[in-house]
Amino acid sequence: AADSSDIPGVPLPGPIVTGIAGGPVYDVVYQLDVPAGHVIVASLQGSPGTDFDLYLFDSTATTVVSNQGVVARSAGPDSDEAISHPTRTGGRFYIDINGASDVVGSFTLTVQAVADGTPPSVMVRLEEGRSAVSRADLLVELDATDDLSGVAEMAFSTDGFVFSPWQPFASTTRVSVPAGDGLKRVWAKVRNGVGLESPAQSASITLDTTPPAVLSVTPTPGGRVAGLRPTFTVGFTEEITTASWTDL
């Protein structure tokens, strides 16, 4: 087997590489060293009729015939493949071009390591925009964006100072606020693929666990009315949710 057929492969000679794969050439492996805070962006094109797949391994990998160390892959039915992978710490990576069929052909591999210096951004909404809620376990919606390495993690706070441990990003989750009626606020921040944090953003909502009470009823119970279809009016001690009122 050639030196380029398995890890450690051969050093990537430049940002654009051409070669042959497929048939007896199962794998062509290149090694590259990437600085911290960069995003590896690679694309592959093969000659018509070929089926080349693209894999990216980190420094824990010892061979391309195992899934150990695979951090990104693109394995479509043809040879037009692309991967993107952010790295916080940098280090050595291995790009594997795998000939997935017996068809021999040429390939062109393009690789860049792009520095990501822009933090992500986030917006917060509670309970689908309601002004009040009766439970302390709040529905939190995050609208987060990142230009290059993607939004990877999120953290929350109910006081604006102490945040929860980082957890995988999700656009919706639930956060519990302290008990007791009154105005509650939830802060959120997100972190992108290379570890840059967004400024914390917040949203507020009123926690109200005291149900409304009937303040007045017209006509009065036991009273008299004129006509068979009187209008009934009920007054409550506070504003109610319209959908919770049922007539008839």
Side-chain angles (χ1 to χ4, degrees):
D3 292 340
S4 61
S5 65
D6 203 352
I7 292 175
V10 295
L12 187 72
I16 300 178
V17 183
T18 59
I20 300 295
V25 184
Y26 294 112
D27 296 278
V28 180
V29 181
Y30 297 101
Q31 59 176 256
L32 67 156
D33 295 317
V34 181
H38 281 59
V39 181
I40 302 169
V41 181
S43 63
L44 177 69
Q45 289 183 320
S47 52
T50 58
D51 182 10
F52 304 149
D53 297 330
L54 190 60
Y55 295 86
L56 180 67
F57 294 79
D58 65 15
S59 60
T60 65
T62 57
T63 177
V64 296
V65 299
S66 167
N67 287 327
Q68 177 184 342
V70 174
V71 294
R73 71 184 73 196
S74 179
D78 53 27
S79 296
D80 291 332
E81 312 292 352
I83 56 176
S84 176
H85 177 71
T87 172
R88 297 181 186 178
T89 59
R92 174 153 295 184
F93 290 83
Y94 306 98
I95 295 179
D96 174 34
I97 300 169
N98 173 251
S101 74
D102 292 334
V103 179
V104 180
S106 61
F107 66 81
T108 300
L109 174 68
T110 304
V111 181
Q112 287 182 295
V114 184
D116 187 353
T118 304
S121 62
V122 64
M123 296 180 63
V124 188
R125 189 171 76 153
L126 303 178
E127 291 292 336
E128 298 179 329
R130 296 185 181 93
S131 60
V133 68
S134 61
R135 54 183 292 176
D137 186 24
L138 302 180
L139 174 66
V140 181
E141 299 172 274
L142 299 182
D143 182 7
T145 59
D146 185 80
D147 292 337
L148 185 57
S149 57
V151 180
E153 296 171 299
M154 60 185 181
F156 300 95
S157 173
T158 56
D159 61 9
F161 298 99
V162 179
F163 280 80
S164 66
W166 290 102
Q167 56 186 292
F169 175 77
S171 58
T172 60
T173 189
R174 287 197 172 272
V175 175
S176 295
V177 295
D181 287 3
L183 188 68
K184 305 296 180 179
R185 186 172 290 274
V186 174
W187 285 261
K189 60 182 180 179
V190 295
R191 191 159 64 177
N192 68 8
V194 299
L196 298 177
E197 296 182 15
S198 71
Q201 301 295 331
S202 67
S204 62
I205 196 170
T206 298
L207 178 61
D208 181 4
T209 59
T210 303
V214 175
L215 187 63
S216 62
V217 178
T218 304
T220 58
R224 294 177 178 272
V225 298
L228 298 180
R229 292 186 176 274
T231 298
F232 288 87
T233 304
V234 180
F236 295 91
T237 53
E238 59 182 320
E239 182 180 357
I240 66 168
T241 302
T242 304
S244 69
W245 175 262
T246 303
D247 61 5
L248 300 180

